[in-house]
Amino acid sequence: MPFSAAELAAGTTLANLATSYLVVTDDRDTARRAQREASERAVRDMLTGLPVRWVFLEQLTRSLAGLRRAPGHVAVLFLDIDGLKYVNDTYGHPAGDRLITTCAARIRGALRPADLLARIGGDEFAVLLDGLERPEDAAGVAQRVLDALHRSDRRHRDALQPSASIGVAATDDPDLPGATLIAHADSAMYRAKRRQRGRYEMFDPSAYAVQRARSAELEQLVEDLRTALPGDQLTVHYQPVLDVGGGDRDLAATEGLHAVEALLRWRHPRRGLLSADAFIDTAERAGLLPRLGEWVMRTACRQMMLWDEALGPRAPRRLFVNLSTVELADPMLIGRIGGALSEAGLDPRRLTLEITEGGLLPEAEAAADAMDSLRELGCELAIDDFGAGYSSLSRLTEIPATTIKIDQTFAQRVREDPSAAAVISAVLAIGTNLDRRVIAEGVEDEESLSALLRLGVTHVQGYHLARPMTPAALTAALAASSG
Ligand code: C2E
Ligand code: MG
Ligand code: MG
């Protein structure tokens, strides 16, 4: 993230403020020591002893100005430690701190004494390289830093293996603002992280332009979504989950209809019908998800009762609704779900809440409490997109879920990738032993379906069997079976 002049000023003011407060104490020595420490703290990061953001920017600004006298290149490496949040969450903050200090030492070791290394954020470091002949020289340094970071530590075999993504930006333009050069390196880092962790990328102006346009577009999306909330642009589509274990794979054979999954849709005034994929993350970041989620819950519960009335025994028996990790941590969630159920008059046992792996991390305590309360309410739980994240197979055994939905990527790879088939088989084995229902998502063609059936899969969901559809379309499809 770029620095502002205000941030610079704030750093200096902080140091001065601390100082002027402390010099009024009687003990001059203590005051002086405290004064030194306070100003130290404003320029140095306490954990690593490295300079902080604004010091880095000041030095960078000086180096850029120096290009006027001595032509050459100045480069910034923007470095982000991979998975720090995961380490903090899983092993605790002391482990996270150790990871940071280890990285700091290894990066420092890969640099020349004259290169400036700073810690500029929780998991972010920046390196300033001055007096380069060619911009490519910076790439060599980035690779050296990565090699140093990834070096395995023979003395501590069980120690965490650091890995980082690096963005590199270089310039010979003395008029380029330092903050812009940092933003360029940051954007290159972002691309490195998205491609594959543990690598570096050079700044690419065209990719940068695309990225900026994209973030402007997302901002617009949030604005649109705010106004869409109370209006009629939001709808819920329903995708059947089929039980093909008995040989039926026809929607019209309602014994085969295991459940319907509610999926949020947005009829955007300019962009047409948007799938949840196109906006759910943005909605979550903008804090809009609790309200959206509540609306989906109430709409879907009501829809179940409408189907009961219209279709009698052919109505879907079970409703699956997705819950994000943020919603799971919301103390109001249980009240809202209970409210939606009783308002519609829907039996809680007909509702299954789908939770992704993020909600299953051992330290997600609020989520664990919510899962308990949901079960007390009478609802069932499903683990969604299993295999897409970090959780292990053994974690499956500890979660009070009755259903496991295997991430779509496995069904999509099952035909050509033996490891995908192996994971599906392993999950099925756990399902059989622990009495969990296993659903394969993302079944897109007949060949994948056959491969899944051969492995012993009984429950499936995917475009090949039925797409998400409007309530009216699903009513028609289910009613057709009565004839
Ligand atoms: P999900 O829960 O894993 O839902 C399945 C997604 O895969 C849906 O995308 C569905 O349309 C799509 N899909 C179904 N069959 C196939 C197939 O055969 N091939 C492929 N390629 N895709 C298939 P959608 O509706 O865009 O939803 C994306 C994600 O957004 C959902 O993934 C879910 O995590 C989230 N989501 C959707 N609605 C809600 C909601 O109301 N609340 C919350 N919190 N999340 C939601
Ligand atoms: Mg789902
Ligand atoms: Mg899924």
Side-chain angles (χ1 to χ4, degrees), residues 261-263 320-322 354 384-385 405 441 461:
E261 176 174 3
L263 294 164
F320 286 5
V321 178
N322 293 284
E354 296 192 9
D384 201 1
D385 302 342
K405 300 184 81 178
E441 292 189 287
Q461 182 178 1

Side-chain angles (χ1 to χ4, degrees), residues 295-317:
W295 180 81
V296 170
M297 189 69 69
R298 291 173 56 193
T299 307
C301 289
R302 259 200 321 267
Q303 183 58 51
M304 287 294 279
M305 299 314 283
L306 291 175
W307 276 322
D308 279 359
E309 282 167 30
L311 297 165
R314 295 179 194 284
R317 299 308 304 155

Side-chain angles (χ1 to χ4, degrees), residues 239 261 263-265 275-277 280 289 296 322-324 327 354 384-385 408 412 441-444 462-463 468:
Q239 185 177 30
E261 176 174 3
L263 294 164
L264 182 59
R265 295 288 178 268
S275 284
D277 251 349
I280 206 96
L289 211 46
V296 170
N322 293 284
L323 282 184
S324 71
E327 289 171 282
E354 296 192 9
D384 201 1
D385 302 342
Q408 347 192 317
Q412 280 150 8
E441 292 189 287
V443 182
E444 294 184 343
Y463 293 164

Side-chain angles (χ1 to χ4, degrees), residues 122-287:
D123 52 2
E124 292 164 348
F125 294 89
V127 179
L128 170 59
L129 305 173
D130 204 346
L132 296 178
E133 255 175 53
R134 301 165 309 152
E136 298 84 77
D137 297 343
V141 180
Q143 190 55 57
R144 264 211 322 273
V145 169
L146 287 175
D147 292 343
L149 277 172
H150 297 167
R151 188 188 69 217
S152 67
D153 191 336
R154 283 173 205 287
R155 281 166 309 157
H156 305 96
R157 276 182 181 283
D158 55 344
L160 292 162
Q161 179 68 50
S163 147
S165 305
I166 303 183
V168 185
T171 186
D172 57 359
D173 175 6
D175 293 322
L176 188 77
T180 305
L181 190 61
I182 293 172
H184 287 175
D186 185 7
S187 93
M189 184 283 293
Y190 178 75
R191 270 194 309 129
K193 219 175 186 77
R194 291 213 349 192
R195 285 209 178 148
Q196 188 194 359
R197 295 173 163 209
R199 58 182 279 159
Y200 76 84
E201 282 288 332
M202 298 296 289
F203 171 64
D204 170 355
S206 60
Y208 185 55
V210 170
Q211 194 183 323
R212 281 175 57 119
R214 197 171 141 67
S215 53
E217 194 183 302
L218 286 181
E219 250 168 60
Q220 182 62 49
L221 202 65
V222 169
E223 265 323 295
D224 293 348
L225 199 50
R226 272 188 221 287
T227 56
L229 273 183
D232 57 359
Q233 294 176 16
L234 297 173
T235 65
V236 182
H237 283 191
Y238 298 85
Q239 185 177 30
V241 176
L242 296 184
D243 177 354
V244 291
D248 268 325
R249 59 176 72 169
D250 182 4
L251 240 199
T254 36
E255 305 78 60
L257 178 66
H258 175 71
V260 291
E261 176 174 3
L263 294 164
L264 182 59
R265 295 288 178 268
W266 177 14
R267 282 186 215 290
H268 191 279
R270 292 182 308 282
R271 299 172 56 187
L273 187 69
L274 299 181
S275 284
D277 251 349
F279 63 91
I280 206 96
D281 287 349
T282 311
E284 175 166 349
R285 264 182 267 123

Side-chain angles (χ1 to χ4, degrees), residues 1-4 7-8 42-45 50-60 78 116 118-122 124 126 182 186:
M1 207 182 290
F3 310 82
S4 63
E7 260 180 302
L8 275 180
V43 296
R44 290 206 175 275
D45 164 52
L50 292 174
V52 295
R53 236 168 204 277
W54 69 270
V55 179
F56 184 82
L57 181 59
E58 251 188 8
Q59 182 56 46
L60 173 59
F78 195 106
L116 177 68
R119 182 175 182 206
I120 60 174
E124 292 164 348
I182 293 172
D186 185 7

